[in-house]
Amino acid sequence: MQDAALRLKTFAEQLLGTPLPVRVRAWDGSEAGPPGAPVLVVHNRRALRRLLWKPGELGLARGWVAGDLDVDGDLYEALGLMAGLIWERDDDARGTWDTLRDPEARAAVRGLFKLAGPFMPPPPPREEMRQHGRLHLHTRRSDKRAVSHHYDVGNDFYELVLGPSMVYSCAYWETPDGTLEDAQRDKLELVARKLGLRPGQRLLDVGCGWGSMAIHAAREYGVSVVGITLSGEQAAYARKRIAEEGLTDRIEIRVQDYRDVVDGPFDAISSIGMAEHVGSARYLEYAKSLYALLKPGGRLLNHQIARRPQDDESSYAVDEFIDAYVFPDGELQPAGTTVGLLEQAGFEVRDLESIREHYALTLRRWVANLEANWPAAVKLTSFGRARVWRLYMAASALSFERNRIGVNQILAVRSPESGTSGMPLRARTWG
């Protein structure tokens, strides 16, 4: 009798204490759940074993990356419906196990174990980065390892996802139906104008990626640029682009940690999508390092993802899926915390612009690019890696849309003792 889906749905609802908002299709072909809803496909019993031995987000992620779990229907709709069960419950695996005090929940777990079969779970997918504790985060060695995990997966793969701009951060949209390339160009232009770049200046681009900001600044504003990254693949790609643009006399790309830059001062610093990798324990050190590298009157443009503040900040935990598969050791902090630390480092913060909705638009375009080039993306990386990127970008788009996370451009100045900041009298008339 084909009834695995109904049993799964019943056990899950008993355990969660709420109806499942999606339909379930099991390995035996059976289905159960609301008609017309997106379908959560449980391809095999391995998916259950993964979840039972690692309850919560990480178990689901392992099932998704391995292909044991899938979605039939609109991925955004499915994730939106399941968000309240996964990302917005404000609990973790310990909270799940706490429910076992309820006899009905214990019975549901026993039923799931019986349905899963008498086997141990398979090992995690090879795309998962093994963590070795969080006591020594953000050393030079661990940062390089984490950056390599995320960025050294093939420049050709990133070309498929990011498009010709090769900019891996939030674009700046004039209209939602504009092109990704125009929006990314407008973002680079916005950064350059906020920094007040002028010919002859020196710009430090921290976390320079594939060189897009460096090229824009040198070509359009006549500045000299030092770009630093910990990714060897990014550096090689950026140098090739720079040579093709004829800008090798103005741009130097280094594989270098920000802590090892000693050839300041610079007139301006751009930090675009870099600070999320720094870590809360190192953030003040990061801010002080950038402050020391700036000339008096020099500007910093810090473009950074932020999370909502919590009542108890000590309870903040890094997202398990993101930590294991996407940005190992990455940490988010509230915008107010970032502003406070920049000020503590000596900066005068002059402007904060939230562009949260812009990142949702950007991520949806990246997902569309990935889906349109799916066979090539899988060939260039792996089946599991392509699935990691599809899930994390789609889920992140929803998080930005729902104001669970945001992204801000913070403009700060190393104001001299005289107090003359060099900023325009009217805000947002950059120059």
Side-chain angles (χ1 to χ4, degrees):
M1 182 176 179
Q2 294 181 319
D3 65 349
L6 180 59
R7 294 168 67 190
L8 279 173
K9 173 180 176 295
T10 301
F11 292 146
E13 290 178 344
Q14 288 175 338
L15 189 59
L16 295 169
T18 186
L20 281 182
V22 296
R23 195 165 176 81
V24 177
R25 182 185 304 148
W27 55 87
D28 62 354
S30 61
E31 292 193 14
V39 180
L40 177 64
V41 183
V42 185
H43 284 296
N44 49 60
R45 298 173 191 266
R46 286 194 305 273
L48 282 187
R49 293 196 283 272
R50 292 185 189 277
L51 278 167
L52 287 167
W53 288 96
K54 190 64 179 178
E57 184 177 333
L58 189 56
L60 284 168
R62 288 173 174 173
W64 171 270
V65 175
D68 299 331
L69 293 171
D70 212 335
V71 168
D72 185 0
D74 187 280
L75 179 59
Y76 293 105
E77 183 184 0
L79 290 174
L81 290 170
M82 292 190 294
L85 301 178
I86 305 171
W87 296 286
E88 296 171 1
R89 286 174 64 87
D90 296 325
D91 59 11
D92 54 17
R94 291 187 303 274
T96 301
W97 288 113
D98 284 343
T99 64
L100 296 184
R101 296 171 182 168
D102 177 46
E104 187 176 1
R106 289 200 299 271
V109 171
R110 287 195 297 269
L112 286 170
F113 267 107
K114 184 176 181 180
L115 192 58
F119 303 102
M120 295 293 288
R126 63 186 177 89
E127 290 80 8
E128 182 171 319
M129 183 171 176
R130 306 298 191 267
Q131 300 290 16
H132 303 288
R134 308 189 64 85
L135 295 178
H136 303 289
L137 287 179
H138 303 293
T139 63
R140 287 166 173 79
R141 180 177 179 181
S142 68
D143 280 354
K144 187 172 182 61
R145 175 173 174 260
V147 166
S148 179
H149 174 87
H150 185 78
Y151 294 105
D152 292 343
V153 298
N155 293 325
D156 292 342
F157 171 77
Y158 277 105
E159 284 182 337
L160 291 180
V161 175
L162 305 181
S165 69
M166 286 300 284
V167 180
Y168 193 23
S169 54
C170 175
Y172 195 66
W173 299 84
E174 185 173 350
T175 61
D177 56 354
T179 69
L180 177 61
E181 288 69 37
D182 285 347
Q184 290 291 15
R185 181 203 62 225
D186 289 348
K187 189 271 297 298
L188 299 177
E189 178 65 13
L190 179 66
V191 171
R193 287 191 293 111
K194 286 182 176 181
L195 288 173
L197 297 182
R198 297 185 300 277
Q201 290 186 328
R202 291 185 78 210
L203 169 69
L204 174 64
D205 188 25
V206 187
C208 65
W210 293 272
S212 298
M213 181 63 205
I215 290 170
H216 184 85
R219 184 181 60 209
E220 304 299 329
Y221 286 85
V223 302
S224 297
V225 186
V226 173
I228 61 171
T229 175
L230 293 180
S231 167
E233 289 192 17
Q234 282 187 334
Y237 188 98
R239 289 168 185 150
K240 182 175 182 294
R241 292 178 71 194
I242 290 162
E244 291 170 350
E245 291 275 353
L247 294 170
T248 53
D249 61 328
R250 295 191 201 168
I251 305 174
E252 178 188 2
I253 300 296
R254 305 172 184 167
V255 178
Q256 187 176 39
D257 191 283
Y258 70 88
R259 289 162 283 204
D260 297 327
V261 179
V262 295
D263 57 331
F266 294 87
D267 298 282
I269 298 177
S270 52
S271 175
I272 307 172
M274 161 66 189
E276 298 88 342
H277 296 290
V278 171
S280 58
R282 295 279 186 180
Y283 201 90
L284 183 57
E285 175 188 358
Y286 179 67
K288 287 181 175 180
S289 296
L290 301 190
Y291 183 85
L293 288 168
L294 273 176
K295 292 179 180 178
R299 301 182 190 179
L300 164 69
L301 192 286
N302 185 67
H303 177 118
Q304 181 176 344
I305 298 172
R307 60 176 172 83
R308 302 292 299 171
Q310 299 181 179
D311 292 337
D312 178 11
E313 279 294 313
S314 66
S315 67
Y316 168 66
V318 176
D319 183 285
E320 285 188 302
F321 167 59
I322 298 294
D323 195 42
Y325 287 97
V326 186
F327 292 105
D329 294 349
E331 295 178 75
L332 303 182
Q333 58 191 18
T337 301
T338 299
V339 168
L341 290 168
L342 290 172
E343 290 182 330
Q344 190 175 342
F347 282 104
E348 179 187 5
V349 173
R350 297 298 301 242
D351 186 77
L352 185 152
E353 182 178 5
S354 172
I355 53 175
R356 173 173 61 83
E357 292 86 353
H358 293 253
Y359 218 155
L361 291 169
T362 305
L363 284 156
R364 283 182 176 265
R365 295 300 181 91
W366 289 344
V367 172
N369 286 346
L370 176 60
E371 292 176 341
N373 295 282
W374 187 256
V378 171
K379 184 176 180 180
L380 287 169
T381 52
S382 68
F383 171 77
R385 180 72 65 188
R387 288 176 68 81
V388 166
W389 256 245
R390 183 172 179 239
L391 177 61
Y392 114 76
M393 291 192 299
S396 295
L398 291 174
S399 291
F400 282 106
E401 289 167 356
R402 295 183 175 204
N403 193 27
R404 294 187 66 241
I405 52 177
V407 61
N408 306 288
Q409 287 193 350
I410 301 174
L411 180 63
V413 183
R414 178 174 174 169
S415 296
E417 291 184 6
S418 66
T420 305
S421 69
M423 295 293 298
L425 287 175
R426 293 194 174 188
R428 311 245 165 121
T429 54
W430 311 116

